[in-house]
Amino acid sequence: MLTRHRLLLPLLLLITAFTSPRVAHAQTRSAGLLNFNADGSLFACSNRDSGTVSIVTWPDLKLLHEIPVGLHPEGVAWIGKSGSLACCVYGTDEIVILDATAGNITRRVPVFDEPYGIVSSSDGTRLFATLEYPGQILDINPADGTIRKTWQVGSMLRGLALSPDQKFLLTTEYLTSKVLRVSTTDGTVQQTFEPASTDNLARQIVIAPSADRAWFTHIRSRVTAAHGNGSIFPYVSVARLTGPAAGTRIRVPLDTIRGTRVTANPWDCDVTPDGRTLCVAFAGTNDMYLLNITDNHGELDFKAALQLGNNPRAVRCSPDGSAVLVCNALDFNVVAFSLQDGRELGRVAVTKCPLDEQLLLGKKLFYTALPPMTSRGWISCSSCHPDGDADGRTWQQPEGLRNTQPMNGLASTHPLHWSADRDEVHDFEHTIRGKLMQGRGLLQGTLPEALAEPIAGRSTALDALAAYTNSHSFTLSPYAKQGLTEAAKRGQLIFHSEKTGCATCHTGPLYSDSQPAPPGSAQTPQCRYRQRRPLRTHGASL
C-alpha cells in the first residue's frame, strides 16, 4: 500500500567520481540524528521510537551497542576525539553522556526543556545544545555536566552547527526557519538570516567544508491555500557566511529541480567533504536527491535520485566522501549508498521496532505523501503535525482562521477540529479524499458524511491511522517539574475563580469541555502544553 515504483538512478554518466582529494572533516560541524566519530570508524544513531542510541562500526556496519537513554532522543554528537558522545533526550529533558566502548550512560544532565541539537568543540571541552523551548543555547562542560552558560537566543531552536574556527554557532528557528549566527564567547546574536513569512519547519543546518555557506532544509507553508497543489512546498536554503553576499540567504525549490517530480517533507541534508554535492532526504516521499552545487551563489542542479526506506530522517556523508548514510526511521535501519555510482553498500538494523503492527502502519500512513494518502505527492499529515506537534501556522479555512493544533491528548478531546466537524479520527477520510490531500483514501465503499454513522472497524488502514493519531500523550510542563511556584498558585486561583470563569469551559484533566464556545463557533481548546504555543484569544484568529 505504501510502496511505489522504484526510482531509477539516472545514467551512471551523470554520477561522476570525485576527482579532488577526500579530506575527512570533523563530525562536530553539525548537529544531527546520525553522526560519525572523529576517525570515522564508528557512527551513532538516535532511535526516537525506541528511546535508544545505537553505536555502529563503519564501514562494516556491525551494531556494537544499543543504549537505552529515555523518551524521544534526537541529536547525537561525539565529544571531541574521544570515545564518548552526547545525546539530547527531548522527551525527558536531559542530555546524556555515553561511553561508546562500554555501551552505557556515564552522566545525565537535566535541562529546562526539549533539548534537540548538540555539537562538541573539536577539543571536547565544550558541548553546545539547543533547547527548542524556550529558545536557548546551553554551553555545557562534558567533564562534570555543569551548564556553564545559558543564552536566550531566539524562538523554538532546533538545528545547530559550529564553525570550523569554533568562534560562532548557527542555529535554526524551527517554526520560522530563521537562521541566527551566535557568538560562542558570550552568546550574542551576531547576524540574522531572515526567512520569508511562509518558511516553516527548519531542523538541522550544516556548514559547508569551505565554511563560506550553510545549508538547511525546510518547507514553505502557504496558509492562504488549503489545497494540496498550493499549500506545502519543499525547499533547501543556503545562508551565505562570507564574501559580498554575507548575511543573505536564498531558497531553492525542490519540487521543480527535477522537472515535474514532486517531493515532500525535506527532513535533513548533508554536504560531501569536497563540497560539491548536497544530499537531501525527503521524509514524505521516501527518497533522496543528490544535487550538484554549481557555484558560489548556492545554485543547485539535479544529479541523481535514490529510493529510500520509510520516513528517512537523517543523512550523513562518510568522512572520506565514499558514501552517504541514511536513517530510515520507520524501517529502524541505516542504509549506506555509494556516492560514486549510487549502489547500496549495505544496511544495518539499529533497533527493533517497538510499535505494534497497527501503530506502525498508522504511523507510516501519517508520514507518507504517497498513495493512497495523496495522489500528487505534496503533503502528508505530518507536514502540519510533525511528531504530533503543531507547525505554528494559522491557516485560512473556509470557516475562518484556524491555527494548527497539536495532537497531544487528542484521544480525550473528541470531537475534533476547531469547528468540531469530526467526531472520530476516521472522519479524516474526508480530508484524505478532499482537495487538500487528493488521495484515493483508505476506506472501500461509500463514505458517510462526517458526524454521521461511525466508520471505525470498516478499514484496517483507517483504524491504524486513528490508533496512531490518538496515541500522542503529554509530558509534564517544565514549569511544574518542581511543583507550582507561588505565582503559579495565584494564577491557579484566578483561573478557577467565578469572576474569570476560565474553568467553566476549560475543565477536566485536559482543560477542555470539548464543546463549541459559544455554540456555532469554535470548540474549546485544551490548555495543556500551552507554554509552547502562542496564546490565542477568543476572537476569530484561533
Side-chain angles (χ1 to χ4, degrees), residues 449-485:
E449 293 293 324
L451 305 179
E453 65 267 26
I455 55 178
R458 290 180 51 187
S459 163
T460 299
L462 203 52
D463 288 345
L465 180 62
Y468 172 72
T469 305
N470 283 325
S471 70
H472 295 82
S473 59
F474 288 95
T475 55
L476 189 65
S477 166
Y479 298 104
K481 290 178 183 177
Q482 307 300 324
L484 296 181
T485 64

Side-chain angles (χ1 to χ4, degrees), residues 187-207:
T188 57
V189 177
Q190 300 172 330
Q191 201 167 42
T192 301
F193 299 81
E194 293 293 340
S197 62
T198 53
D199 289 349
N200 195 204
L201 303 188
R203 297 176 180 87
Q204 317 296 355
I205 184 168
V206 58
I207 297 176

Side-chain angles (χ1 to χ4, degrees), residues 137 151-154 157 159-173 178-194 205 207 211-214 239-243 246-248:
I137 293 178
W151 299 318
Q152 187 65 49
V153 171
L157 305 181
L160 193 63
L162 179 62
S163 65
D165 62 9
Q166 318 281 289
K167 292 183 178 180
F168 68 87
L169 297 157
L170 295 178
T171 185
T172 60
E173 288 192 351
K178 180 187 293 184
V179 173
L180 304 166
R181 175 173 169 153
V182 180
S183 167
T184 57
T185 301
D186 57 12
T188 57
V189 177
Q190 300 172 330
Q191 201 167 42
T192 301
F193 299 81
E194 293 293 340
I205 184 168
I207 297 176
D212 62 341
R213 71 191 82 173
R240 298 165 170 140
L241 305 179
T242 62
T248 64

